[in-house]
Amino acid sequence: MKILIANRGEIAVRVARACREMKIPTVAVYSDCDRDARHVREADQAVHIGASEAARSYLRIDAIVDAARRTGATAVHPGYGFLAENAAFARACRDEGLTFIGPSPEAIALMGSKTAARTAAIRAGVPVVPGTESPLGAGASDEDIVREGGRVGYPLMVKAVAGGGGKGMRVVESADALLNAVRTARSEAGSAFGDTAVYFERRIARPRHIEIQLLGDRYGTVIPFVERECSIQRRHQKVVEESPSIAVDAHLRRRIADAAAAVASAAGYTNAGTIEFLLDEDGSFYFLEMNTRLQVEHPVTEMVTSQDLVHWQIRIARGERLTIDPDRALTPHGHAIECRIYAEDPDEGFMPSPGLVRGIRPASGPGVRDDSGVLAGYTVPVFYDSMIAKLIAWGGQRAEAIARMTRALGEYEVLGVRTTIPFFLWLMQEPDYLAGRYDTTYLDRLLASRRGVSFSTFSDADERTIAIAAALHSILRAGDVASAGGRAASATERSAWTRAARLDALRG
C-alpha cells in the first residue's frame, strides 16, 4: 500500500506520521504557495497539483487522482476539509481503483446532506431538532420560505444543506428577519460549498454541543467512543474541545453512544465518522448532523482512549476487523483538552495574520501533544484556513488538564505572526470555563462583554516585546544579572530574561 494524502497542513502531517509508524510510503500534494510546507517534507514523495487557490489545487479531483496514478499510490487519505466529504471524489478514487480511506461515496452522499441525514436519524429512532424535512433550493419562493419558517417556529437557525464550520448559518429571531437571513446564508453557502440550498431548525436555547466519534468496519461492527464536548465556539466555529464532557454521566453517555451507533448502522457506515448532537439543559439530546470524515478534534478522543484513529482508518480500509472493546471505548481515561492555534490576531477581531513564521517552539512535557503543520521559515498563506497547530493537554482530572494546558500555552512560542495563544491563556482563567458552566453561546457572550479589552500578554511575541526582551537580555547576559547598584533582579526582569533567552534560541 502507498497512500496519497489529499490535504495539507497539520492533518497531512498527522497522517504522514501514522503512515511512517505503519511503514507505509506516502505521497504529498501541494499548491504553489505550499511548495516548502511541512507536509511536503514529511512525505516520501510530493507532487505539485496547481495554483495557490484551493479551487485550482486541493479541490481539483482530476489533479489529485492523476498524482496518485503517476506515483503508483494505491490509496488516498482525504484528511478533513477540501474534498474529504465529497462523494464525487470518493467515487473518482473508486473508479480509478484507489482505496478511499473513508466511507463509501453512497454514505457520504446520504449523510453529507443535512436533510437526508435528519431523515436517516428519524428512521433509526433517534430524536432530531424540529425543522425542515426537505431542502429549500433556489426555486423556493418567498412565500414557501415564510410558510416553512412559521411551521418550524422562532427562533430558528437557517443552515446550508451542504454546510459545515459555521458557514451558511444564521440565527433568526422573528419572521421579519427570515428572508434576509436566507439570502445571506445562500450567498455564503454558494461560495463555500457550491450549493445554495438551505434548511431550518428550531433553535434550542443555550444547548451544549456533544459529539460521538465512531468507527465502522466492513463487517457491520460499529464502535462508538466516549463523547467530546465542543460547546466552546466562536461564531459557530469550534475553538476548544474536551473529552469527556462535564455534563454527561455514564448513563447518558451510553444513551447518546447507542443513538450514534444506530444512525451509523442504518447508513451502512464504514471507517471514521462523527455524529453531532445538541444537549438541552433538561438532559434531552437531538441529532444534529454527521461528519463523514476524521474530525479536527480527534486527538482528544485518542488521548482518553489510547486508540490511534488514523491507524484504524487505514486498517479498516485494508479490510481488517475492528477489535476494540466497546466498553473500553466508552470508558474515558483521564481528561483531554484541545486548543486550535490559529494565525489570527485576537485583538483585531480574530482577523487572519498571514506572514512569515520566523520562529516556532512548540510546547512539550508530560501530557502535552502538539499537532503542528508549520515550521520556521514557512509563510502562512492567505488562501486557506489559518490554523497552524493544535495543542492538546491530558490530565488525570479536568482541573489537571486545564493546568497543564495553561502551562503549555505559556511555553508555546511563535514569532512573525499573531496567534490565538493569548486568547486561550485568558480563557483558561475564566471562572465559568473553569467550572464547566458554558454552552454554545457562552464564548460569543463572553467576548462581547470584554468591550475591546486587549488580550495581549507577555506570552505574545510581538515585535515590541521582542525588542524590549532582547535589550534586557543583552544587559543581563553581559554580567549585570543583579541589575545596577547591586539590587536583586525583579521577578519581571527574571521572567523577561527567560523569555529573551527563548527568543534568542528561536532566532538560532
Side-chain angles (χ1 to χ4, degrees):
M1 177 180 265
K2 177 189 280 190
I3 295 177
L4 181 143
I5 305 167
N7 219 294
R8 65 177 298 281
E10 57 82 23
I11 186 55
V13 173
R14 165 75 180 93
V15 174
R17 284 172 166 168
C19 291
R20 196 155 53 246
E21 292 166 359
M22 300 177 75
K23 297 181 170 43
I24 298 172
T26 54
V27 179
V29 292
Y30 64 90
S31 65
D32 285 349
C33 65
D34 272 343
R35 188 175 300 275
D36 297 320
R38 181 174 181 177
H39 77 275
V40 174
R41 305 184 192 186
E42 295 281 349
D44 299 299
Q45 292 176 263
V47 178
H48 177 250
I49 55 170
S52 299
E53 296 85 353
R56 300 170 64 190
S57 52
Y58 296 108
L59 291 174
R60 284 187 57 197
I61 294 175
D62 61 331
I64 293 173
V65 170
D66 180 65
R69 184 188 304 118
R70 288 191 285 129
T71 57
T74 57
V76 173
H77 194 299
Y80 47 70
F82 294 127
L83 295 170
E85 294 182 279
N86 187 305
F89 179 50
R91 191 173 296 110
C93 289
R94 184 172 65 187
D95 292 346
E96 187 66 25
L98 298 167
T99 298
F100 183 77
I101 302 175
S104 68
E106 293 75 20
I108 294 174
L110 173 65
M111 303 311 291
S113 166
K114 309 306 183 191
T115 50
R118 283 171 54 85
T119 300
I122 292 169
R123 288 175 179 168
V126 175
V128 301
V129 179
T132 306
E133 303 308 327
S134 299
L136 294 163
S141 67
D142 288 354
E143 291 76 13
D144 293 335
I145 290 170
V146 171
R147 182 167 51 253
E148 187 66 6
R151 187 189 67 79
V152 173
Y154 297 92
L156 60 76
M157 302 287 292
V158 177
K159 293 186 175 183
V161 168
K167 295 181 176 67
M169 184 184 299
R170 291 294 182 275
V171 176
V172 180
E173 298 290 348
S174 61
D176 57 3
L178 181 61
L179 291 176
N180 185 59
V182 168
R183 282 191 287 270
T184 304
R186 283 193 191 283
S187 175
E188 193 171 291
S191 298
F193 313 113
D195 186 346
T196 62
V198 297
Y199 69 106
F200 302 156
E201 278 184 350
R202 178 81 58 80
R203 189 186 185 202
I204 297 176
R206 299 193 174 184
R208 298 181 86 108
H209 185 125
I210 303 295
E211 63 186 29
I212 298 289
Q213 171 74 58
L214 54 82
L215 292 172
D217 66 20
R218 299 180 185 178
Y219 311 98
T221 301
V222 174
I223 302 292
F225 290 81
V226 61
E227 78 284 344
R228 295 188 292 248
E229 167 77 73
C230 303
S231 300
I232 302 297
Q233 302 178 9
R234 187 177 63 83
R235 299 172 190 166
H236 308 296
Q237 176 66 52
K238 304 168 190 173
V239 294
V240 176
E241 299 94 358
E242 302 186 36
S243 184
S245 169
I246 196 172
V248 176
D249 60 20
H251 176 65
L252 181 57
R253 175 174 301 126
R254 174 65 68 176
R255 290 175 55 218
I256 298 177
D258 287 347
V263 174
S265 295
Y269 195 85
T270 58
N271 217 271
T274 298
I275 307 286
E276 302 193 343
F277 295 92
L278 293 181
L279 179 64
D280 209 341
E281 293 174 309
D282 64 1
S284 301
F285 62 89
Y286 305 93
F287 172 85
L288 184 61
E289 64 183 18
M290 183 174 194
N291 289 292
T292 56
R293 53 170 168 79
L294 196 67
Q295 293 278 86
V296 176
E297 56 271 23
H298 76 273
V300 295
T301 297
E302 294 181 327
M303 297 287 270
V304 298
T305 64
S306 299
Q307 296 289 339
D308 191 306
L309 295 174
V310 177
H311 279 205
W312 271 114
Q313 283 192 290
I314 296 169
R315 293 174 64 180
I316 291 168
R318 292 196 302 203
E320 295 185 36
R321 290 180 179 271
L322 281 165
T323 57
I324 299 170
D325 183 334
D327 290 330
R328 292 193 65 180
L330 284 175
T331 305
H333 172 59
H335 195 99
I337 301 172
E338 174 182 287
C339 291
R340 303 185 184 191
I341 298 177
Y342 288 90
E344 295 177 347
D345 188 345
D347 286 336
E348 294 295 333
F350 295 88
M351 288 290 292
S353 176
L356 176 66
V357 178
R358 294 192 289 107
I360 184 167
R361 178 187 294 243
S364 59
V368 173
R369 168 175 164 177
D370 172 64
D371 280 20
S372 175
V374 305
L375 295 169
Y378 175 68
T379 298
V380 178
V382 298
F383 302 100
Y384 320 116
D385 182 274
S386 61
M387 186 169 65
I388 60 174
K390 299 181 310 195
L391 183 62
I392 307 98
W394 178 92
Q397 304 292 332
R398 183 171 185 266
E400 182 181 4
I402 292 174
R404 190 162 275 163
M405 175 61 78
T406 303
R407 184 268 296 172
L409 287 165
E411 291 179 0
Y412 215 114
E413 305 277 5
V414 182
L415 301 183
V417 297
R418 299 280 188 173
T419 75
T420 50
I421 290 174
F423 157 74
F424 288 122
L425 280 167
W426 163 76
L427 181 63
M428 291 296 132
Q429 302 174 46
E430 282 299 305
D432 285 338
Y433 176 76
L434 293 173
R437 295 189 297 264
Y438 53 75
D439 55 63
T440 58
T441 69
Y442 162 76
L443 185 55
D444 285 335
R445 287 186 284 111
L446 189 61
L447 289 171
S449 72
R450 286 179 58 83
R451 301 181 184 277
V453 177
S454 174
F455 289 101
S456 295
T457 70
F458 196 62
S459 66
D460 189 20
D462 58 25
E463 298 301 322
R464 181 172 178 274
T465 299
I466 292 172
I468 294 171
L472 181 57
H473 185 214
S474 298
I475 295 171
L476 297 176
R477 194 167 51 181
D480 192 15
V481 176
S483 189
R487 66 172 173 81
S490 69
T492 299
E493 289 170 332
R494 290 194 301 272
S495 176
W497 183 85
T498 300
R499 177 175 178 76
R502 290 182 193 164
L503 298 177
D504 270 8
L506 282 173
R507 292 193 187 93

